[in-house]
């Protein structure tokens, strides 16, 4: 039986066991996907033991996405560009890291509403998720990416290593919406238990696609307001599901389909 798991600390909140478990059952694969709580000090030991325990792969979540890199045999271009790994494949005792968030973000937009033009995207936030979004939009050749973060220095650090990325002060965030094609929230604002995202959408044109990476709640206040104004909205659950597709295929040999059934399963409907 092929084994995979998500490691994190804490890890009980992860939706990945439900997602991969659904696909394992759907495609009748003899395998298992579990959640394993791994503290930072036990991380190297857990990684060393993966091959012997029959693991074909591992998802990595907070707080290990960056620290895990130094324990891997290799990482690919996406992981290197973002400086974080969310997926590890175990083959012949060797651990290879990648980051599937870039793929997951773009595929979710493609399936649910890609902007009509690629002249400008506004990205709120400059954490790990923002680095993946900026890489994806750069790969997609958006002419300009306006990066807006509370801590300006973090946005500037991303801009320095990217092409076509400009930085704007957090307090001015509403001023850059009137000529954008895409608005993406990658901050934790709007998440259950966090402060709401305060953003005046009054100048946002109707054709702008609004994507929130936050998926708890599924319809964030940002998405609800944008939808009420007539904008096309894309939720964060789709990215979570799409980023799991290449991992599942690498570990279990079948490329799973992203459809309403899997969304319902992950939501526990
Ligand atoms: P992170 O690295 O911790 O970054 C958090 C971001 O939120 C930073 O830009 C931070 O700004 C900003 N922020 C936090 N509190 C703020 C406040 N009070 N005011 C203004 N900005 C604030 O987290 P991450 O890994 O990038 O994840 C960010 C969000 O994306 C989370 O909700 C996560 O669940 C979601 N996500 C979703 C997917 C998906 O598949 N849908 C994938 C990845 C992440 P500072 O830099 O100023 O602290």
């Amino acid at each position: 039986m092929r084994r995979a798991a998500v490691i994190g600390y804490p890890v009980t909140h992860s939706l990945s066991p439900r997602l991969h478990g659904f696909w394992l059952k759907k495609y009748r694969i003899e395998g298992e996907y579990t959640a394993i709580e791994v503290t930072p000090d036990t991380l190297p030991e857990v990684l060393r033991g993966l091959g012997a325990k029959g693991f074909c792969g591992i998802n990595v979540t907070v707080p290990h996405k960056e620290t895990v890199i130094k324990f891997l045999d290799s990482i690919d271009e996406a992981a290197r560009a973002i400086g974080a790994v969310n997926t590890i494949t175990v083959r012949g005792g060797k651990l290879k890291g990648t980051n599937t968030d870039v793929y997951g973000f773009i595929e979710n937009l493609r399936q649910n509403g890609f902007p009509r033009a690629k002249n400008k995207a506004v990205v709120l936030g400059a954490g790990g998720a923002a680095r993946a979004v900026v890489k994806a939009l750069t790969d997609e050749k958006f002419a300009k990416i306006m990066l807006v973060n509370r801590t300006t220095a973090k946005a500037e650090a991303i801009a320095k290593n990217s092409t076509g990325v400009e930085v704007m002060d957090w307090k001015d965030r509403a001023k850059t919406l009137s000529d954008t094609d895409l608005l993406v929230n990658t901050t934790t604002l709007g998440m259950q238990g966090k402060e709401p995202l305060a953003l005046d959408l009054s100048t946002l044109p109707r054709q702008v696609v609004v994507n929130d990476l936050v998926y708890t709640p599924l319809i964030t206040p940002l998405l609800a307001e944008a939808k009420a104004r007539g904008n096309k909205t894309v939720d964060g659950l789709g990215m979570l599901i799409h980023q799991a597709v290449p991992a599942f295929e690498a570990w279990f040999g079948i490329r799973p389909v992203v459809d309403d059934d899997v969304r319902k399963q992950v939501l526990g409907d």
Side-chain angles (χ1 to χ4, degrees):
M1 165 153 52
R2 274 175 284 178
R3 301 177 72 192
V6 53
I7 59 168
Y9 184 67
V11 79
T12 42
H13 67 280
S14 174
L15 296 175
S16 295
R18 221 187 268 173
L19 170 57
H20 286 276
F22 172 76
W23 282 334
L24 284 171
K25 215 165 148 190
K26 175 175 174 178
Y27 297 108
R28 295 169 197 229
I29 294 168
E30 214 184 305
E32 68 165 27
Y33 186 104
T34 52
I36 307 172
E37 192 161 271
V38 176
T39 57
D41 52 323
T42 58
L43 180 66
E45 179 194 328
V46 168
L47 293 171
R48 269 197 304 273
L50 289 175
K53 288 186 178 142
F55 278 92
C56 55
I58 287 285
N59 280 130
V60 183
T61 188
V62 179
H64 304 310
K65 284 185 177 189
E66 289 162 19
T67 47
V68 76
I69 292 177
K70 59 177 174 288
F71 304 114
L72 303 180
D73 295 292
S74 61
I75 59 170
D76 71 0
E77 193 255 334
R80 198 167 298 114
I82 298 162
V85 159
N86 72 349
T87 302
I88 298 172
T89 301
V90 187
R91 247 180 228 143
K94 300 273 188 216
L95 307 183
K96 181 175 182 187
T98 184
N99 194 307
T100 59
D101 277 342
V102 176
Y103 170 87
F105 167 73
I106 282 298
E107 282 306 304
N108 187 33
L109 277 188
R110 274 198 228 295
Q111 199 174 63
N112 296 294
F114 203 87
R116 270 185 265 162
K118 297 186 191 176
N119 296 318
K120 179 176 162 184
V122 174
V123 178
L124 305 176
R131 291 203 298 273
V133 167
V134 167
K135 161 102 176 93
L137 296 175
T138 308
D139 288 352
E140 284 294 318
K141 308 219 170 349
F142 269 73
K144 182 157 122 183
I145 301 165
M146 187 60 79
L147 193 56
V148 195
N149 192 46
R150 176 182 60 177
T151 309
T152 312
K154 279 169 68 180
E156 278 165 354
I158 296 177
K160 214 171 100 189
N161 294 314
S162 319
T163 313
V165 180
E166 290 179 26
V167 173
M168 186 174 214
D169 266 8
W170 181 247
K171 64 173 168 37
D172 295 329
R173 58 196 178 280
K175 293 183 188 158
T176 190
L177 301 178
S178 63
D179 60 348
T180 194
D181 302 299
L182 174 68
L183 169 63
V184 188
N185 175 42
T186 79
T187 74
T188 51
L189 295 172
M191 237 175 126
Q192 249 158 34
K194 302 274 181 193
E195 289 166 50
L197 167 66
L199 183 63
D200 177 3
L201 297 185
S202 57
T203 59
L204 191 76
R206 296 286 183 271
Q207 72 273 15
V208 175
V209 174
V210 180
N211 177 204
D212 203 332
L213 265 52
V214 171
Y215 52 82
T216 50
L218 188 60
I219 310 297
T220 61
L222 170 67
L223 293 184
E225 188 183 344
K227 194 169 183 193
R229 300 178 74 259
N231 290 92
K232 172 87 193 161
T233 58
V234 181
D235 67 50
L237 183 64
M239 174 174 169
L240 181 83
I241 299 173
H242 278 286
Q243 65 78 32
V245 168
F248 189 92
E249 185 180 25
W251 303 333
F252 299 114
I254 284 179
R255 194 165 185 86
V257 173
V258 178
D259 55 14
D260 278 347
D261 287 349
V262 68
R263 275 181 70 89
K264 281 187 200 140
Q265 185 68 27
V266 176
L267 288 170
D269 284 359

